[in-house]
Amino acid sequence: MTFPTEFLVGAATAAHQNEGNNVNSGHWYQENLPGRPAELRSGDAVDMYHRWEADLDLLVELGLNTFRFSLEWSRIEPSEGFFSRAEIAHYRAMIEGCFARGVTPVVTVLHFSLPQWFEARGGWLAEGAVELFERYVAAVAPILTDVPWVVTINEPNLMAIVPVFEKMIAAGIPIRGLPMPDPEYVPSAIAAHRAAVRALRAGGVPRVGLSLAMHDFIAEPGGEAALQAHRAAAEDQFLDATEGDDFVGVQAYTNLRFGPEGVLPPAEDAEKTIVGWEFWPNAVVTAVRHAWEYTGGRMPVLVTENGIATADDSRRIAYTRAALTGLEGLIAEGVDLRGYVHWTYMDNFEWMGAFGPTFGLVAVDRETFVRTPKPSARWLGRVAAANAIVD
Ligand code: BGC
């Protein structure tokens, strides 16, 4: 079986995790507070800010046809109200670099990292936060008018969970499983997405959507009600917020198990990835199905992230092959799935795990920045080139 013509197969990145030296971002500020361990800093990341041309050349050489990357708000608006023409031109050059190589760009306007000045004035809950975000989005819309896939916000549903994590860490409460989004943050996350859609549409951007962190939900005995409540809060209210969008981006990695009290830890005997998640290729299949069915099939779906953190690259291939096989089945059933973008292009800065969890198709030498494709990169490139799952 082959994928539909023009099915996209590529790899995803995000600015803070790859560019390096995002010195005006809130993440940078936090990472560099006195006393923070040096090994948990993003630092140079993988220096993609300077190496993006060679990185695009390598992507093409591998056979991949799609590249997802994000714009860094803290570079474009490093201080409130100053929009850097030079940085906007930098991202425009990346978009043109994709087109020049026949690569489809998928551009994310906000992938977690916020300018420190925005954090300092109170972040998403402060008065005028959504309006400030909308002004930034309006400033970048002119460079996105020919980009076929524009993601407003990466995982606004996870963005609304991060404050819960922060409160738990501050209170010394151990994090087990994924908490529900903070209800205080949900309205801002949704309003920010809607504002971004408005600004992008007003700027002439053709196809706009968000991407969501999704799971394969599994009810253990007595866990059905907890499952339903969690899915409604973590996924469905955000799928409701896609009303009027042009596509939905699905990101899924693993399952979430539920008992009568809520989320359970991963099954003890299951294979785990470096970040402790169950090896669960079906996650993305169930997630795409849920996004498609819940939204009544009113818009196409794009897998904007899927992958595993592993040191054993053969498990990455096995996982990805199984995920793609399941997705192929969904397409055969009539789901309008337009592509598969793997997380992630190269081993990069994995937020709280720093450089430990290796999700990449390509390894990076941390001293020299030399890139070395893993067998999974070559394999996925051959899938892209053949437009079919290959051996
Ligand atoms: C995020 C990525 C992250 C990945 C793996 C997704 O939730 O969008 O930035 O690296 O998960 O943890």
Side-chain angles (χ1 to χ4, degrees):
M1 214 183 125
T2 59
F3 290 114
T5 13
E6 296 188 24
F7 189 76
L8 304 172
V9 179
T13 66
H16 190 72
Q17 296 176 265
N18 293 274
E19 289 181 340
N21 295 294
N22 281 330
V23 298
N24 294 307
S25 88
H27 275 95
W28 182 277
Y29 177 84
Q30 292 291 333
E31 288 162 18
N32 290 281
L33 283 172
R36 292 291 161 100
E39 65 278 11
L40 298 185
R41 297 175 187 165
S42 54
D44 284 319
V46 294
D47 194 30
M48 194 175 277
Y49 185 79
H50 298 108
R51 294 167 197 263
W52 65 268
E53 288 179 276
D55 289 339
L56 275 182
D57 288 341
L58 174 61
L59 186 110
V60 172
E61 187 198 308
L62 290 168
L64 300 171
N65 58 46
T66 302
F67 181 59
R68 175 173 178 229
F69 65 100
S70 73
L71 311 181
E72 176 63 29
W73 184 2
S74 70
R75 284 184 185 270
I76 291 171
E77 191 181 0
S79 66
E80 184 172 344
F82 165 65
F83 291 90
S84 165
R85 288 195 179 89
E87 295 290 358
I88 294 175
H90 169 86
Y91 291 109
R92 180 62 203 168
M94 288 181 77
I95 292 165
E96 286 174 12
C98 288
F99 290 136
R101 292 167 177 80
V103 169
T104 298
V106 177
V107 179
T108 308
V109 177
L110 183 78
H111 194 121
F112 297 151
S113 47
L114 297 164
Q116 173 55 20
W117 63 259
F118 181 88
E119 299 272 28
R121 67 186 291 292
W124 286 113
L125 297 184
E127 181 90 23
V130 171
E131 289 75 10
L132 286 167
F133 176 59
E134 187 169 0
R135 183 175 68 172
Y136 153 66
V137 180
V140 297
I143 62 164
L144 301 172
T145 54
D146 51 1
V147 175
W149 302 90
V150 175
V151 176
T152 56
I153 301 179
N154 181 69
E155 301 181 341
N157 58 338
L158 194 66
M159 199 168 98
I161 293 177
V162 171
V164 184
F165 280 139
E166 287 169 353
K167 284 178 203 161
M168 289 171 81
I169 292 167
I173 302 170
I175 299 173
R176 284 194 203 92
L178 195 67
M180 296 225 222
D182 186 332
E184 229 190 324
Y185 279 78
V186 171
S188 313
I190 290 177
H193 166 62
R194 297 298 346 146
V197 173
R198 265 199 313 276
L200 293 166
R201 289 248 171 86
V205 178
R207 202 197 269 133
V208 183
L210 48 63
S211 69
L212 289 180
M214 299 182 72
H215 289 88
D216 189 357
F217 288 82
I218 297 171
E220 303 290 0
E224 192 56 40
L227 180 157
Q228 295 297 347
H230 197 105
R231 182 151 67 187
E235 295 188 358
D236 297 347
Q237 63 176 335
F238 290 89
L239 286 169
D240 288 335
T242 66
E243 183 78 47
D245 292 0
D246 305 302
F247 73 95
V248 56
V250 167
Q251 320 200 147
Y253 292 86
T254 188
N255 61 31
L256 276 184
R257 296 179 185 276
F258 292 84
E261 307 303 325
V263 179
L264 298 170
E268 255 169 46
D269 53 352
E271 176 180 349
K272 314 280 188 339
T273 69
I274 294 177
V275 286
W277 300 344
E278 283 187 44
F279 177 99
W280 201 259
N282 201 46
V284 74
V285 183
T286 314
V288 167
R289 184 195 294 282
H290 184 65
W292 172 255
E293 287 176 355
Y294 186 87
T295 56
R298 71 178 138 78
M299 57 191 165
V301 181
L302 184 67
V303 171
T304 38
E305 286 184 25
N306 171 245
I308 63 167
T310 180
D312 177 354
D313 195 53
S314 69
R315 297 310 288 152
R316 191 181 336 277
I317 297 179
Y319 176 94
T320 310
R321 180 202 301 278
L324 282 169
T325 304
L327 293 173
E328 204 170 47
L330 290 184
I331 295 169
E333 282 175 34
V335 175
D336 187 7
L337 177 68
R338 301 293 178 90
Y340 174 88
V341 187
H342 191 85
W343 184 269
T344 181
Y345 186 21
M346 52 191 72
D347 293 338
N348 58 28
F349 178 71
E350 175 54 31
W351 308 112
M352 285 157 87
F355 293 92
T358 44
F359 277 90
L361 297 166
V362 173
V364 179
D365 183 307
R366 305 245 4 94
E367 295 292 321
T368 62
F369 300 112
V370 166
R371 277 72 162 134
T372 307
K374 303 176 191 178
S376 57
R378 307 242 175 245
W379 174 77
L380 194 62
R382 288 198 292 118
V383 169
N387 202 31
I389 300 168
V390 295
D391 287 337

